[in-house]
Amino acid sequence: MPTVQGPQLVLGAIPGGAEQLMVRYYQDANHGIRVGSSTDPVVPAFLDGLATWMLDPRAAEEAGPAVAGATPRQIHLASAVPQPRWYADGEMMLRVPLISVGVAAGGLLVLAGGSVAAVLADRRRGRVGAAGADVSADSGGSDGPGGPGVSRETEVAAVVSAPTPRVGRGLAAFTVATAAVVVALVAYIVAVAQLALAYSGNGVVVWGGWVAVQALAVLSVWTGVRAVRRLLAHGRGRGRSGLVRAAGGWLAVGGLLGVLVVSAYWGAFSPLS
């Protein structure tokens, strides 16, 4: 808190200078103008001085100097906050997570749609293959390696268009782990803010919550690596549905990585200092 610099800056900015400024310092008072914790009463002199100034500002100014009270102590020098770049301003901190969540959700929907399309295509091939196998059996044709009534063409089509549940499970784990990081990080920030507002401390919440957030962040990276490896093994898939599933999977990974980048900005991957 720049208790010394603050009034100096205000003094130089307001018209009239010292004639329009009143500053009062109270011995050992904190941010809440209380001596002690947040449950202790407000400094009585502050309430008296504030009431006097509100009822008659001119009389309050004439009754005492512009700056009075205890000697202020400012340990650290406050400096101007640099202007953030376009990718780090407040609006981008809202846009990036929203866009990332949208891209991830869209990718998962595309992946699910491609998988459903692949299953429907397999069923259509199965019906066509079964009908062909019946005709082949009636005409004395040979059975395929899969057994009686299953032609070689039907068996190959089923293998080629088989769905890839491992990719879906990997992305589901990555999604759950990333969501857990966001929920834990938000809960941790809220808990620390409540402790700060109450002028109290709790080592279990502060350090235990920090460790939990870091552990979940590492877990999310591990699940993300597994999901990417499964996508690479899957490749572009077979046919149009396979290409759609691959595109949806990579979109989901990109969106989830964006969420993790924002989480890292808020301290999900912060080093112990």
Side-chain angles (χ1 to χ4, degrees):
M1 184 68 179
T3 54
V4 176
Q5 286 180 273
Q8 292 176 348
L9 293 175
V10 174
L11 183 64
I14 61 175
E19 296 181 358
Q20 302 296 324
L21 178 68
M22 280 190 64
V23 181
R24 295 294 182 267
Y25 293 101
Y26 302 96
Q27 185 69 35
D28 299 326
N30 55 28
H31 290 275
I33 318 296
R34 304 170 188 266
V35 178
S37 65
S38 60
T39 59
D40 292 321
V42 177
V43 176
F46 167 73
L47 297 177
D48 295 339
L50 180 62
T52 302
W53 181 84
M54 292 179 65
L55 293 174
D56 193 348
R58 178 68 63 181
E61 293 174 2
E62 294 176 353
V67 181
T71 302
R73 293 176 63 251
Q74 180 178 329
I75 300 175
H76 302 288
L77 180 66
S79 58
V81 178
Q83 182 69 24
R85 297 182 181 272
W86 63 269
Y87 54 81
D89 62 6
E91 292 184 356
M92 289 302 294
M93 290 298 102
L94 294 176
R95 293 174 184 170
V96 171
L98 293 177
I99 294 174
S100 299
V101 170
V103 171
L108 292 174
L109 290 176
V110 170
L111 176 64
S115 299
V116 171
V119 171
L120 295 177
D122 288 344
R123 290 180 178 177
R124 286 196 298 269
R125 291 192 190 97
R127 286 195 294 268
V128 173
D134 292 339
V135 173
S136 176
D138 292 340
S139 61
S142 61
D143 296 325
V150 180
S151 65
R152 184 181 300 274
E153 291 78 10
T154 302
E155 189 175 80
V156 171
V159 173
V160 167
S161 61
T164 54
R166 294 181 72 251
V167 173
R169 288 196 296 267
L171 287 173
F174 188 22
T175 303
V176 172
T178 302
V181 171
V182 174
V183 172
L185 181 60
V186 172
Y188 177 70
I189 292 175
V190 171
V192 172
Q194 290 177 343
L195 291 175
L197 291 174
Y199 297 96
S200 61
N202 189 321
V204 175
V205 172
V206 174
W207 292 107
W210 187 90
V211 171
V213 171
Q214 306 306 306
L216 287 174
V218 173
L219 177 63
S220 67
V221 172
W222 179 71
T223 56
V225 171
R226 284 170 57 88
V228 169
R229 291 182 62 182
R230 291 181 178 184
L231 277 172
L232 291 174
H234 173 67
R236 294 193 304 173
R238 297 281 186 170
R240 187 175 300 174
S241 62
L243 183 60
V244 170
R245 280 179 289 174
W250 286 113
L251 280 175
V253 168
L256 294 172
L257 286 177
V259 174
L260 288 181
V261 168
V262 176
S263 301
Y265 175 83
W266 291 106
F269 298 89
S270 60
L272 181 63
S273 59

